[in-house]
Amino acid sequence: MPPTSPTPVNRDEAPVRERGDACPGALRLHAADDGRLARLRLPAGLLTYRQAEALATAAERLGDGRLDITSRGNVQLRGLGESCGGELAELLYEAGLLPSERHERVRNVVASPLAGLDGIPRADVRLWARELDALLCASEAATALSGRFLFALDDGRGDVAALGADVTLLAQPDGTAALHTGANGSGLRVSAGDAPRAALLAAESFLTVAAASGSGAWRVRELPAGHGLDAAVTTALATAGIATEPVAEYGAEYATEPEAEYRAEYGADVARPEAGPPVPGPIHSPDGTVALSVYAPLGRLSVAQWRLLLSAGERGTNDRTLRVTPWRGVIVPGLDPATAHDLLDRLRTAGLITDPHSPWHNVGACTGRPGCAKALTDVRADAAGAVTATGPSGLPAARPGDLPVYWSGCARRCGHPQGSWVDVVATGEGGYDISVRGHLLRATTGPELAEAVATARKPTTARTTPVTR
């Protein structure tokens, strides 16, 4: 699919924030109902095998023996003890996972996870990510960013550009980069070499504009109308000697036959689809190696499953890294083809999602009970029950075009996906509201719940179902 501008975010005007950002980190642990929670930022989702083993050790020794993958490609450890903070920090420092204590919560950087792996010649956003991370950690001003502020580095395929980031770098066909802030469809063209520095300057400009507005905004979308961020970014880049020129939104000249078919089927008013998440299964690379794309059921892996991903390092891998994705998956690159097939089979047997037709694919859930006090029910159990139920009451295998499903324990919808998804929200007393793009139907737990979710996943449902509040 053609590269796209960042997906606009629909919202009501945000209220003025009057409290500080309490977003958890690796050093600032959050008190949850199931123990302390640590959230470790992984710029571009990159982990060496040594670092991944350190996380397994921390989960096993200090936590509940599991690792959660977040919607930003970060890793959470849960069930931590009250007094484990010092030991956890030491483990992370030794593994090189905390390059700057003061910046550890602001290193929110997602990047196209298949960059350089699938034979599509685009920018190597991993280089952008490493440079941006170093610039962030060297910036005094950046310490004031919220733990929710997000950078997206898209290699031009339009995958992470759709995640609603605050600052997006989108690789252009001519080798330059387009810099976007928030939902701004147009952008500024900068050279590829200047792209990471431009992204940091955009973030620092946001801080200046947010402070002047008095809104206490944590995200670009929370700035009041007429905030002037675009002008501030343009001025900052010019002052820094970074040459820019306007970049218009991608238009009809980028239309392709698949896009035309999509619009013909679903209507001309439907937004052009971006490149989706990596498909589960093998990915053949130009150098003759194979990368494996796998997903964690409901975003959670046991230490044993995590270490099985690392077993590739013992079997002739050429690239001793993992790439954690913002869709709660993991890419294992650089495998010998003979090794890859065997490992994929072992990962499937261990319960990971390795097939795009798995009923678990594109099904997510928040923590729910008992880990979260705000949750109205154990949504993970209900989601798992819908997936594993047999007969007509169970969710069928995923099909091309099916919408993602996300189960939330309350109206906050923590960790929900971007774009369109089947929104399954607990309402209390065993009930759920199911909606897609504002179209709502009600269902209760039981056999009819999974059937209602399955119906809502069909791409045509969102266009034909009236609101039934």
Side-chain angles (χ1 to χ4, degrees):
M1 299 304 300
T4 60
S5 299
T7 297
V9 180
N10 296 322
R11 63 175 180 88
D12 297 323
E13 186 172 346
V16 174
R17 293 191 182 276
E18 298 179 347
R19 63 181 177 85
D21 176 23
C23 198
L27 303 178
R28 178 193 287 180
L29 305 187
H30 170 71
D33 275 18
D34 57 350
R36 299 281 174 173
L37 177 153
R39 182 177 299 157
L40 184 67
R41 271 68 175 185
L42 306 176
L46 297 174
L47 274 174
T48 67
Y49 278 25
R50 175 171 171 266
Q51 291 170 334
E53 176 56 35
L55 293 181
T57 299
E60 190 173 51
R61 184 189 304 171
L62 307 175
D64 62 4
R66 292 176 293 189
L67 302 97
D68 287 0
I69 301 178
T70 76
S71 59
R72 294 182 166 195
N74 297 319
V75 169
Q76 288 186 166
L77 305 176
R78 302 189 67 95
L80 300 168
E82 292 282 342
S83 59
C84 76
E87 186 176 357
L88 174 62
E90 184 178 355
L91 273 171
L92 300 178
Y93 276 123
E94 290 179 352
L97 288 166
L98 290 177
S100 172
E101 182 174 328
R102 300 183 63 218
H103 295 82
E104 62 97 2
R105 294 190 313 123
V106 306
R107 301 168 67 225
N108 289 305
V109 182
V110 296
S112 300
L114 294 183
L117 295 180
D118 57 357
I120 300 176
R122 296 185 172 99
D124 189 347
V125 291
R126 293 172 299 169
L127 299 179
W128 284 355
R130 293 188 183 100
E131 183 176 349
L132 176 58
D133 188 34
L135 291 169
L136 272 173
C137 291
S139 168
E140 179 64 27
T143 61
L145 289 171
S146 160
R148 303 164 195 252
F149 194 92
L150 180 64
F151 297 87
L153 313 182
D154 194 300
D155 71 352
R157 71 185 68 218
D159 53 358
V160 297
L163 297 182
D166 298 282
V167 175
T168 299
L169 289 176
L170 182 61
Q172 303 291 286
D174 63 359
T176 62
L179 173 70
H180 299 270
T181 54
N184 184 4
S186 58
L188 293 173
R189 187 189 308 275
V190 298
S191 70
D194 285 330
R197 188 159 59 108
L200 175 65
L201 288 169
E204 292 176 342
S205 298
F206 160 79
L207 290 172
T208 301
V209 171
S213 73
S215 64
W218 295 341
R219 306 287 308 275
V220 169
R221 66 170 179 256
E222 296 173 355
L223 290 172
H227 48 69
L229 178 57
D230 293 343
V233 172
T234 300
T235 299
L237 296 180
T239 301
I242 296 178
T244 66
E245 62 180 61
V247 177
E249 292 188 73
Y250 287 99
E253 67 271 22
Y254 286 90
T256 62
E257 184 176 350
E259 178 190 341
E261 293 174 355
Y262 183 93
R263 287 177 178 268
E265 181 175 1
Y266 299 125
D269 59 337
V270 177
R272 179 171 62 240
E274 298 86 6
V279 175
I283 299 159
H284 295 274
S285 299
D287 63 1
T289 64
V290 174
L292 296 183
S293 170
V294 299
Y295 285 79
L298 303 182
R300 180 168 291 175
L301 300 96
S302 67
V303 166
Q305 290 172 322
W306 183 260
R307 285 199 170 115
L308 184 55
L309 292 170
L310 299 182
S311 69
E314 304 167 0
R315 303 170 67 84
T317 182
N318 297 321
D319 185 345
R320 294 179 63 82
T321 61
L322 299 180
R323 302 184 186 185
V324 182
T325 81
W327 299 279
R328 296 183 170 89
V330 179
I331 306 294
V332 186
L335 297 174
D336 178 88
T339 298
H341 177 78
D342 176 61
L343 178 59
L344 191 67
D345 187 61
R346 293 167 63 207
L347 293 170
R348 177 190 58 77
T349 302
L352 297 181
I353 301 167
T354 62
D355 185 333
H357 301 295
S358 166
W360 287 98
H361 184 43
N362 277 338
V363 178
C366 72
T367 296
R369 288 183 178 174
C372 177
K374 289 183 170 59
L376 301 176
T377 188
D378 186 346
V379 291
R380 286 179 173 269
D382 289 342
V387 171
T388 59
T390 58
S393 61
L395 285 179
R399 297 155 297 185
D402 279 359
L403 295 175
V405 179
Y406 197 79
W407 298 66
S408 301
C410 72
R412 295 189 306 162
R413 298 171 171 84
C414 293
H416 70 75
Q418 294 292 320
S420 297
W421 77 95
V422 179
D423 190 20
V424 187
V425 181
T427 57
E429 300 180 357
Y432 284 89
D433 278 350
I434 305 173
S435 59
V436 180
R437 300 191 188 115
H439 299 280
L440 173 74
L441 60 93
R442 285 187 185 275
T444 59
T445 54
E448 69 275 15
L449 177 58
E451 182 178 354
V453 171
T455 299
R457 296 192 78 174
K458 299 176 182 177
T460 54
T461 299
R463 297 191 298 108
T464 58
T465 305
V467 176
T468 58
R469 283 190 184 276

Short mmCIF file of all heavy atoms in Angstrom, two decimals, residues 271-295:
data_model
loop_
_atom_site.label_atom_id
_atom_site.label_comp_id
_atom_site.label_asym_id
_atom_site.label_seq_id
_atom_site.Cartn_x
_atom_site.Cartn_y
_atom_site.Cartn_z
N ALA A 271 -11.42 5.88 4.49
CA ALA A 271 -10.02 6.32 4.40
C ALA A 271 -9.15 5.21 3.82
O ALA A 271 -9.40 4.03 4.04
CB ALA A 271 -9.51 6.71 5.78
N ARG A 272 -8.15 5.61 3.05
CA ARG A 272 -7.24 4.64 2.46
C ARG A 272 -6.56 3.84 3.57
O ARG A 272 -6.04 4.41 4.52
CB ARG A 272 -6.20 5.36 1.61
CG ARG A 272 -5.20 4.43 0.98
CD ARG A 272 -4.31 5.16 -0.04
NE ARG A 272 -3.52 6.21 0.55
CZ ARG A 272 -3.60 7.48 0.18
NH1 ARG A 272 -4.45 7.85 -0.72
NH2 ARG A 272 -2.84 8.40 0.75
N PRO A 273 -6.54 2.52 3.50
CA PRO A 273 -5.91 1.73 4.56
C PRO A 273 -4.41 1.90 4.54
O PRO A 273 -3.79 2.02 3.49
CB PRO A 273 -6.32 0.30 4.22
CG PRO A 273 -6.53 0.31 2.75
CD PRO A 273 -7.09 1.67 2.43
N GLU A 274 -3.81 1.90 5.73
CA GLU A 274 -2.36 1.92 5.82
C GLU A 274 -1.85 0.49 5.80
O GLU A 274 -2.61 -0.46 5.88
CB GLU A 274 -1.93 2.60 7.13
CG GLU A 274 -2.37 4.06 7.25
CD GLU A 274 -3.77 4.21 7.81
OE1 GLU A 274 -4.36 3.19 8.21
OE2 GLU A 274 -4.27 5.34 7.85
N ALA A 275 -0.52 0.35 5.72
CA ALA A 275 0.06 -0.98 5.87
C ALA A 275 -0.28 -1.48 7.27
O ALA A 275 -0.15 -0.74 8.25
CB ALA A 275 1.57 -0.92 5.67
N GLY A 276 -0.71 -2.70 7.36
CA GLY A 276 -1.09 -3.23 8.66
C GLY A 276 0.09 -3.78 9.42
O GLY A 276 1.25 -3.69 8.98
N PRO A 277 -0.17 -4.36 10.58
CA PRO A 277 0.89 -4.98 11.37
C PRO A 277 1.50 -6.16 10.63
O PRO A 277 0.90 -6.70 9.69
CB PRO A 277 0.14 -5.46 12.63
CG PRO A 277 -1.14 -4.70 12.65
CD PRO A 277 -1.49 -4.44 11.23
N PRO A 278 2.70 -6.59 11.02
CA PRO A 278 3.30 -7.77 10.39
C PRO A 278 2.40 -8.98 10.54
O PRO A 278 1.79 -9.20 11.60
CB PRO A 278 4.61 -7.95 11.19
CG PRO A 278 4.91 -6.61 11.75
CD PRO A 278 3.58 -5.98 12.04
N VAL A 279 2.29 -9.75 9.48
CA VAL A 279 1.47 -10.96 9.51
C VAL A 279 2.23 -12.06 10.26
O VAL A 279 3.44 -12.22 10.07
CB VAL A 279 1.14 -11.41 8.08
CG1 VAL A 279 0.39 -12.73 8.07
CG2 VAL A 279 0.34 -10.33 7.37
N PRO A 280 1.56 -12.83 11.12
CA PRO A 280 2.26 -13.93 11.80
C PRO A 280 2.79 -14.94 10.79
O PRO A 280 2.14 -15.25 9.80
CB PRO A 280 1.17 -14.56 12.68
CG PRO A 280 0.11 -13.52 12.80
CD PRO A 280 0.15 -12.73 11.54
N GLY A 281 4.00 -15.45 11.06
CA GLY A 281 4.59 -16.45 10.19
C GLY A 281 5.96 -16.05 9.71
O GLY A 281 6.56 -15.09 10.20
N PRO A 282 6.50 -16.77 8.73
CA PRO A 282 7.85 -16.48 8.22
C PRO A 282 7.89 -15.29 7.29
O PRO A 282 6.94 -15.03 6.54
CB PRO A 282 8.22 -17.78 7.49
CG PRO A 282 6.91 -18.35 7.07
CD PRO A 282 5.92 -17.98 8.12
N ILE A 283 8.99 -14.56 7.31
CA ILE A 283 9.23 -13.42 6.43
C ILE A 283 10.59 -13.65 5.78
O ILE A 283 11.62 -13.73 6.47
CB ILE A 283 9.24 -12.10 7.20
CG1 ILE A 283 7.88 -11.87 7.88
CG2 ILE A 283 9.59 -10.93 6.28
CD1 ILE A 283 7.94 -10.90 9.03
N HIS A 284 10.64 -13.76 4.47
CA HIS A 284 11.87 -14.07 3.75
C HIS A 284 12.61 -12.77 3.43
O HIS A 284 12.07 -11.87 2.80
CB HIS A 284 11.56 -14.87 2.49
CG HIS A 284 10.99 -16.22 2.78
ND1 HIS A 284 11.77 -17.32 3.02
CD2 HIS A 284 9.69 -16.63 2.91
CE1 HIS A 284 11.00 -18.37 3.27
NE2 HIS A 284 9.73 -17.97 3.21
N SER A 285 13.85 -12.70 3.86
CA SER A 285 14.66 -11.50 3.69
C SER A 285 15.55 -11.61 2.46
O SER A 285 15.89 -12.72 2.02
CB SER A 285 15.53 -11.28 4.94
OG SER A 285 14.72 -11.11 6.08
N PRO A 286 15.96 -10.47 1.89
CA PRO A 286 16.79 -10.49 0.68
C PRO A 286 18.12 -11.20 0.86
O PRO A 286 18.69 -11.70 -0.12
CB PRO A 286 17.01 -9.00 0.38
CG PRO A 286 15.90 -8.30 1.07
CD PRO A 286 15.59 -9.11 2.29
N ASP A 287 18.66 -11.26 2.08
CA ASP A 287 19.96 -11.89 2.29
C ASP A 287 19.86 -13.40 2.43
O ASP A 287 20.85 -14.08 2.73
CB ASP A 287 20.66 -11.29 3.52
CG ASP A 287 19.88 -11.53 4.81
OD1 ASP A 287 18.81 -12.18 4.77
OD2 ASP A 287 20.35 -11.07 5.87
N GLY A 288 18.68 -13.97 2.20
CA GLY A 288 18.50 -15.42 2.28
C GLY A 288 18.09 -15.93 3.64
O GLY A 288 17.79 -17.12 3.79
N THR A 289 18.07 -15.06 4.64
CA THR A 289 17.63 -15.48 5.97
C THR A 289 16.11 -15.33 6.08
O THR A 289 15.44 -14.79 5.19
CB THR A 289 18.31 -14.66 7.07
OG1 THR A 289 17.92 -13.28 6.95
CG2 THR A 289 19.82 -14.79 6.98
N VAL A 290 15.59 -15.82 7.18
CA VAL A 290 14.15 -15.76 7.44
C VAL A 290 13.93 -15.10 8.79
O VAL A 290 14.64 -15.40 9.76
CB VAL A 290 13.52 -17.17 7.43
CG1 VAL A 290 12.06 -17.12 7.86
CG2 VAL A 290 13.65 -17.80 6.05
N ALA A 291 12.98 -14.20 8.85
CA ALA A 291 12.53 -13.63 10.11
C ALA A 291 11.20 -14.26 10.48
O ALA A 291 10.41 -14.61 9.59
CB ALA A 291 12.39 -12.11 10.00
N LEU A 292 10.96 -14.45 11.75
CA LEU A 292 9.69 -14.99 12.22
C LEU A 292 8.90 -13.89 12.91
O LEU A 292 9.42 -13.17 13.77
CB LEU A 292 9.92 -16.15 13.18
CG LEU A 292 10.59 -17.40 12.60
CD1 LEU A 292 10.66 -18.49 13.66
CD2 LEU A 292 9.84 -17.90 11.37
N SER A 293 7.64 -13.79 12.54
CA SER A 293 6.72 -12.87 13.19
C SER A 293 5.74 -13.68 14.03
O SER A 293 5.02 -14.53 13.50
CB SER A 293 5.96 -12.06 12.12
OG SER A 293 4.90 -11.32 12.70
N VAL A 294 5.75 -13.43 15.33
CA VAL A 294 4.86 -14.16 16.24
C VAL A 294 4.18 -13.16 17.16
O VAL A 294 4.68 -12.05 17.39
CB VAL A 294 5.61 -15.22 17.07
CG1 VAL A 294 6.24 -16.26 16.17
CG2 VAL A 294 6.65 -14.58 17.97
N TYR A 295 3.05 -13.56 17.71
CA TYR A 295 2.28 -12.70 18.60
C TYR A 295 2.03 -13.42 19.92
O TYR A 295 1.91 -14.65 19.98
CB TYR A 295 0.95 -12.31 17.96
CG TYR A 295 1.09 -11.26 16.88
CD1 TYR A 295 1.52 -11.61 15.60
CD2 TYR A 295 0.82 -9.93 17.14
CE1 TYR A 295 1.67 -10.66 14.61
CE2 TYR A 295 0.96 -8.97 16.15
CZ TYR A 295 1.39 -9.34 14.90
OH TYR A 295 1.54 -8.38 13.92
#
